[in-house]
Amino acid sequence: MKKTWKINLFTVIFLMAILLPFVWLVLASFKNMKELYAYPVQILPSSWSIRNFAEALREQPILQYVKNSFLVSGIATLLIIVICSMTSFSLARTAIKGKKIILLLILTIALLPPVTLLNPIYMMLSNLNMLNSITGLALVMVAVELPSGVWYLMGFFQTIPMELEESAMIDGASVPQIFTKILIPIVSPGVFTISIMTFINVWNNYIFASVLNPTKKARTVTVALTMFSGETYTPWHLIAAAAVFVSIPIIIVVLILQRRIISGMLEGGVKG
Protein backbone atom coordinates (compact mmCIF):
# COMPACT_ATOMS: atom_id res chain seq x y z
CA MET A 1 0.00 0.00 0.00
CA LYS A 2 2.81 2.39 0.92
CA LYS A 3 4.66 1.53 -2.25
CA THR A 4 1.56 2.23 -4.38
CA TRP A 5 1.10 5.59 -2.66
CA LYS A 6 4.69 6.57 -3.41
CA ILE A 7 4.36 5.53 -7.05
CA ASN A 8 1.15 7.53 -7.45
CA LEU A 9 2.75 10.58 -5.85
CA PHE A 10 5.78 10.34 -8.11
CA THR A 11 3.52 9.96 -11.16
CA VAL A 12 1.53 13.07 -10.23
CA ILE A 13 4.68 15.13 -9.68
CA PHE A 14 6.16 13.85 -12.94
CA LEU A 15 3.04 14.71 -14.93
CA MET A 16 2.83 18.15 -13.35
CA ALA A 17 6.44 18.87 -14.28
CA ILE A 18 5.78 17.84 -17.88
CA LEU A 19 2.39 19.50 -18.33
CA LEU A 20 3.02 22.73 -16.43
CA PRO A 21 4.96 24.51 -19.23
CA PHE A 22 2.33 23.62 -21.83
CA VAL A 23 -0.56 24.61 -19.54
CA TRP A 24 1.19 27.94 -18.92
CA LEU A 25 1.63 28.36 -22.70
CA VAL A 26 -2.08 27.77 -23.35
CA LEU A 27 -3.10 30.22 -20.62
CA ALA A 28 -0.62 32.80 -21.90
CA SER A 29 -2.07 32.54 -25.39
CA PHE A 30 -5.34 34.03 -24.08
CA LYS A 31 -3.75 36.82 -22.01
CA ASN A 32 -2.67 40.31 -22.99
CA MET A 33 0.75 41.74 -22.18
CA LYS A 34 -0.48 43.41 -18.99
CA GLU A 35 -1.84 40.13 -17.67
CA LEU A 36 1.34 38.28 -18.57
CA TYR A 37 3.47 40.60 -16.43
CA ALA A 38 0.91 41.14 -13.68
CA TYR A 39 2.12 40.88 -10.07
CA PRO A 40 0.99 38.92 -8.19
CA VAL A 41 0.78 36.39 -10.98
CA GLN A 42 -2.59 36.24 -12.73
CA ILE A 43 -3.14 32.57 -13.50
CA LEU A 44 -6.31 32.80 -15.59
CA PRO A 45 -6.93 35.36 -18.34
CA SER A 46 -9.66 37.91 -17.82
CA SER A 47 -11.35 36.84 -21.05
CA TRP A 48 -11.13 33.70 -23.21
CA SER A 49 -11.14 35.34 -26.63
CA ILE A 50 -9.21 34.23 -29.72
CA ARG A 51 -7.92 37.75 -30.29
CA ASN A 52 -4.26 36.74 -29.89
CA PHE A 53 -4.63 33.89 -32.38
CA ALA A 54 -6.21 36.13 -34.99
CA GLU A 55 -3.56 38.81 -34.50
CA ALA A 56 -0.75 36.25 -34.73
CA LEU A 57 -2.13 34.97 -38.04
CA ARG A 58 -2.32 38.54 -39.35
CA GLU A 59 1.22 39.42 -38.34
CA GLN A 60 2.88 36.30 -39.79
CA PRO A 61 1.72 33.94 -42.57
CA ILE A 62 1.59 31.03 -40.14
CA LEU A 63 -0.51 28.86 -42.45
CA GLN A 64 2.14 29.10 -45.18
CA TYR A 65 4.84 28.15 -42.70
CA VAL A 66 2.73 25.21 -41.48
CA LYS A 67 2.44 24.07 -45.11
CA ASN A 68 6.22 24.32 -45.51
CA SER A 69 6.78 22.28 -42.36
CA PHE A 70 4.33 19.62 -43.55
CA LEU A 71 6.12 19.37 -46.90
CA VAL A 72 9.60 19.14 -45.36
CA SER A 73 8.50 16.64 -42.72
CA GLY A 74 6.48 14.56 -45.17
CA ILE A 75 9.22 14.34 -47.81
CA ALA A 76 11.91 13.56 -45.23
CA THR A 77 9.77 10.91 -43.53
CA LEU A 78 8.89 9.18 -46.81
CA LEU A 79 12.54 9.07 -47.94
CA ILE A 80 13.73 7.83 -44.56
CA ILE A 81 11.17 5.01 -44.51
CA VAL A 82 12.37 3.77 -47.92
CA ILE A 83 16.11 4.25 -47.41
CA CYS A 84 16.16 3.13 -43.78
CA SER A 85 14.24 -0.08 -44.52
CA MET A 86 16.55 -1.13 -47.35
CA THR A 87 19.72 -0.14 -45.51
CA SER A 88 18.73 -1.91 -42.30
CA PHE A 89 17.79 -5.03 -44.24
CA SER A 90 21.11 -5.03 -46.10
CA LEU A 91 23.20 -4.57 -42.97
CA ALA A 92 21.25 -7.18 -41.02
CA ARG A 93 21.29 -9.83 -43.73
CA THR A 94 24.63 -9.49 -45.56
CA ALA A 95 28.09 -10.37 -44.27
CA ILE A 96 29.88 -7.51 -46.03
CA LYS A 97 33.50 -6.69 -45.31
CA GLY A 98 33.94 -3.89 -42.80
CA LYS A 99 30.38 -4.22 -41.50
CA LYS A 100 31.37 -3.39 -37.93
CA ILE A 101 33.17 -0.25 -39.09
CA ILE A 102 30.09 0.82 -41.05
CA LEU A 103 27.86 0.30 -38.01
CA LEU A 104 30.32 2.22 -35.84
CA LEU A 105 30.32 5.12 -38.30
CA ILE A 106 26.52 5.14 -38.39
CA LEU A 107 26.36 5.22 -34.59
CA THR A 108 29.02 7.95 -34.43
CA ILE A 109 27.15 10.15 -36.91
CA ALA A 110 23.90 9.60 -35.02
CA LEU A 111 25.55 10.82 -31.80
CA LEU A 112 27.18 13.90 -33.33
CA PRO A 113 25.77 17.28 -32.22
CA PRO A 114 23.81 18.72 -35.18
CA VAL A 115 25.69 22.03 -34.96
CA THR A 116 28.93 20.28 -36.00
CA LEU A 117 27.34 19.38 -39.33
CA LEU A 118 25.85 22.78 -40.02
CA ASN A 119 28.80 24.47 -41.74
CA PRO A 120 29.65 21.71 -44.27
CA ILE A 121 25.96 21.15 -45.03
CA TYR A 122 25.47 24.86 -45.63
CA MET A 123 28.42 24.97 -48.04
CA MET A 124 27.18 21.90 -49.91
CA LEU A 125 23.67 23.29 -50.37
CA SER A 126 25.07 26.66 -51.39
CA ASN A 127 27.19 25.03 -54.12
CA LEU A 128 24.14 23.07 -55.30
CA ASN A 129 21.90 26.18 -55.26
CA MET A 130 19.53 24.43 -52.86
CA LEU A 131 19.43 26.97 -50.05
CA ASN A 132 15.96 28.28 -49.19
CA SER A 133 14.26 25.26 -50.73
CA ILE A 134 11.88 22.69 -49.33
CA THR A 135 13.71 19.86 -51.09
CA GLY A 136 17.13 20.93 -49.82
CA LEU A 137 16.02 21.11 -46.19
CA ALA A 138 14.17 17.79 -46.50
CA LEU A 139 17.29 16.05 -47.85
CA VAL A 140 19.37 17.49 -45.01
CA MET A 141 16.89 16.20 -42.44
CA VAL A 142 17.03 12.78 -44.10
CA ALA A 143 20.82 12.75 -43.65
CA VAL A 144 20.48 13.85 -40.01
CA GLU A 145 17.72 11.41 -38.99
CA LEU A 146 18.75 8.40 -41.09
CA PRO A 147 21.61 6.99 -38.92
CA SER A 148 19.50 6.61 -35.78
CA GLY A 149 16.65 5.12 -37.83
CA VAL A 150 18.92 2.53 -39.44
CA TRP A 151 20.41 1.56 -36.09
CA TYR A 152 16.95 1.22 -34.54
CA LEU A 153 15.29 -0.73 -37.38
CA MET A 154 18.20 -3.13 -37.86
CA GLY A 155 17.31 -4.75 -34.54
CA PHE A 156 13.93 -5.75 -35.96
CA PHE A 157 15.43 -7.41 -39.02
CA GLN A 158 18.01 -9.29 -36.94
CA THR A 159 15.28 -11.06 -34.96
CA ILE A 160 13.62 -12.51 -38.08
CA PRO A 161 14.85 -16.10 -38.64
CA MET A 162 16.68 -16.73 -41.89
CA GLU A 163 14.60 -19.88 -42.39
CA LEU A 164 11.64 -17.68 -43.28
CA GLU A 165 13.48 -16.14 -46.22
CA GLU A 166 14.98 -19.47 -47.27
CA SER A 167 11.52 -21.03 -47.40
CA ALA A 168 10.26 -18.15 -49.53
CA MET A 169 13.21 -18.55 -51.92
CA ILE A 170 12.49 -22.26 -52.28
CA ASP A 171 8.93 -21.33 -53.26
CA GLY A 172 10.32 -19.09 -56.00
CA ALA A 173 10.13 -15.67 -54.36
CA SER A 174 12.73 -13.09 -55.35
CA VAL A 175 14.64 -10.92 -52.87
CA PRO A 176 12.49 -7.82 -53.61
CA GLN A 177 9.33 -9.90 -53.09
CA ILE A 178 10.64 -11.32 -49.82
CA PHE A 179 11.58 -7.83 -48.65
CA THR A 180 8.29 -6.10 -49.55
CA LYS A 181 5.73 -8.86 -48.97
CA ILE A 182 7.20 -10.80 -46.05
CA LEU A 183 9.77 -8.82 -44.08
CA ILE A 184 8.28 -5.31 -44.21
CA PRO A 185 4.91 -6.47 -42.76
CA ILE A 186 6.79 -8.18 -39.93
CA VAL A 187 8.88 -5.10 -39.04
CA SER A 188 5.99 -2.69 -39.67
CA PRO A 189 5.79 -1.64 -35.97
CA GLY A 190 9.38 -0.44 -36.17
CA VAL A 191 8.86 1.27 -39.52
CA PHE A 192 5.74 2.98 -38.19
CA THR A 193 7.52 4.20 -35.05
CA ILE A 194 10.47 5.54 -37.04
CA SER A 195 8.17 7.38 -39.43
CA ILE A 196 6.24 9.10 -36.62
CA MET A 197 9.34 10.01 -34.62
CA THR A 198 11.06 11.29 -37.77
CA PHE A 199 8.07 13.44 -38.68
CA ILE A 200 8.00 14.97 -35.19
CA ASN A 201 11.78 15.54 -35.09
CA VAL A 202 11.80 17.21 -38.50
CA TRP A 203 8.75 19.32 -37.63
CA ASN A 204 10.40 20.53 -34.41
CA ASN A 205 13.85 21.14 -35.90
CA TYR A 206 15.03 24.72 -35.59
CA ILE A 207 18.77 24.97 -36.11
CA PHE A 208 18.92 23.65 -39.69
CA ALA A 209 15.67 25.32 -40.74
CA SER A 210 16.76 28.72 -39.44
CA VAL A 211 20.15 28.65 -41.20
CA LEU A 212 19.26 26.88 -44.45
CA ASN A 213 15.77 28.32 -45.05
CA PRO A 214 15.73 31.87 -43.62
CA THR A 215 13.59 33.48 -46.35
CA LYS A 216 9.84 33.83 -45.99
CA LYS A 217 8.92 31.57 -48.94
CA ALA A 218 10.67 28.50 -47.48
CA ARG A 219 10.58 29.28 -43.76
CA THR A 220 9.26 26.56 -41.44
CA VAL A 221 6.89 27.12 -38.59
CA THR A 222 9.45 26.66 -35.80
CA VAL A 223 11.53 29.49 -37.23
CA ALA A 224 8.42 31.62 -37.70
CA LEU A 225 7.84 31.64 -33.94
CA THR A 226 10.99 33.74 -33.52
CA MET A 227 9.88 36.30 -36.12
CA PHE A 228 7.35 38.07 -33.90
CA SER A 229 8.64 41.41 -32.65
CA GLY A 230 7.23 44.71 -31.42
CA GLU A 231 8.76 48.17 -31.61
CA THR A 232 9.69 48.29 -27.92
CA TYR A 233 8.81 44.84 -26.60
CA THR A 234 8.53 41.16 -27.49
CA PRO A 235 4.86 40.16 -28.00
CA TRP A 236 4.93 37.04 -25.88
CA HIS A 237 1.14 36.76 -25.98
CA LEU A 238 1.26 36.43 -29.79
CA ILE A 239 4.19 34.01 -29.65
CA ALA A 240 2.26 31.87 -27.17
CA ALA A 241 -0.83 31.89 -29.40
CA ALA A 242 1.21 30.93 -32.47
CA ALA A 243 3.02 28.19 -30.52
CA VAL A 244 -0.28 26.67 -29.42
CA PHE A 245 -1.61 26.87 -32.98
CA VAL A 246 1.39 25.06 -34.51
CA SER A 247 1.48 22.45 -31.73
CA ILE A 248 -2.03 21.26 -32.52
CA PRO A 249 -1.09 19.03 -35.53
CA ILE A 250 1.60 17.20 -33.56
CA ILE A 251 -0.67 16.76 -30.54
CA ILE A 252 -3.43 15.33 -32.73
CA VAL A 253 -1.00 12.89 -34.40
CA VAL A 254 0.37 11.71 -31.04
CA LEU A 255 -3.08 11.31 -29.46
CA ILE A 256 -4.41 9.31 -32.42
CA LEU A 257 -1.34 7.11 -32.85
CA GLN A 258 -0.05 6.88 -29.27
CA ARG A 259 -0.72 3.15 -28.93
CA ARG A 260 1.13 2.33 -32.16
CA ILE A 261 4.05 4.56 -31.15
CA ILE A 262 4.39 3.01 -27.68
CA SER A 263 4.00 -0.56 -28.93
CA GLY A 264 6.60 0.00 -31.65
CA MET A 265 9.08 1.50 -29.20
CA LEU A 266 8.57 -1.34 -26.71
CA GLU A 267 9.03 -3.98 -29.40
CA GLY A 268 12.14 -2.20 -30.60
CA GLY A 269 13.50 -2.09 -27.06
CA VAL A 270 12.97 -5.83 -26.65
CA LYS A 271 14.20 -6.82 -30.11
CA GLY A 272 17.12 -4.41 -30.26
Side-chain angles (χ1 to χ4, degrees), residues 200-258:
I200 294 175
N201 289 341
V202 176
W203 179 279
N204 291 334
N205 181 269
Y206 174 80
I207 184 170
F208 287 105
S210 62
V211 175
L212 303 178
N213 284 26
T215 59
K216 183 174 291 188
K217 69 171 185 177
R219 186 176 294 155
T220 60
V221 73
T222 51
V223 180
L225 295 178
T226 65
M227 297 291 110
F228 290 90
S229 61
E231 294 182 0
T232 58
Y233 68 96
T234 300
W236 291 111
H237 58 310
L238 300 185
I239 295 175
V244 170
F245 182 82
V246 302
S247 299
I248 291 174
I250 297 299
I251 293 174
I252 293 175
V253 169
V254 172
L255 289 178
I256 294 175
L257 305 175
Q258 57 178 322

Side-chain angles (χ1 to χ4, degrees), residues 129-185:
N129 294 321
M130 296 185 69
L131 291 174
N132 295 306
S133 70
I134 299 298
T135 304
L137 181 58
L139 292 176
V140 169
M141 296 313 302
V142 169
V144 172
E145 297 293 332
L146 188 61
S148 56
V150 169
W151 191 268
Y152 175 80
L153 191 58
M154 195 172 65
F156 282 83
F157 282 107
Q158 288 176 334
T159 59
I160 302 175
M162 286 291 297
E163 290 78 7
L164 188 64
E165 299 170 50
E166 293 171 354
S167 299
M169 288 182 180
I170 293 174
D171 292 335
S174 63
V175 174
Q177 289 175 328
I178 294 173
F179 176 71
T180 56
K181 296 182 179 180
I182 299 177
L183 299 183
I184 288 299

Side-chain angles (χ1 to χ4, degrees), residues 67-94:
K67 177 184 175 182
N68 292 342
S69 290
F70 264 117
L71 288 174
V72 173
S73 302
I75 294 172
T77 301
L78 182 60
L79 290 175
I80 282 180
I81 291 173
V82 175
I83 300 173
C84 185
S85 299
M86 293 189 294
T87 305
S88 300
F89 169 70
S90 301
L91 291 174
R93 283 295 187 257
T94 56

Side-chain angles (χ1 to χ4, degrees), residues 40-57:
V41 177
Q42 182 176 336
I43 298 177
L44 298 177
S46 57
S47 64
W48 297 88
S49 78
I50 60 173
R51 179 179 62 253
N52 291 343
F53 295 90
E55 188 175 346
L57 291 175

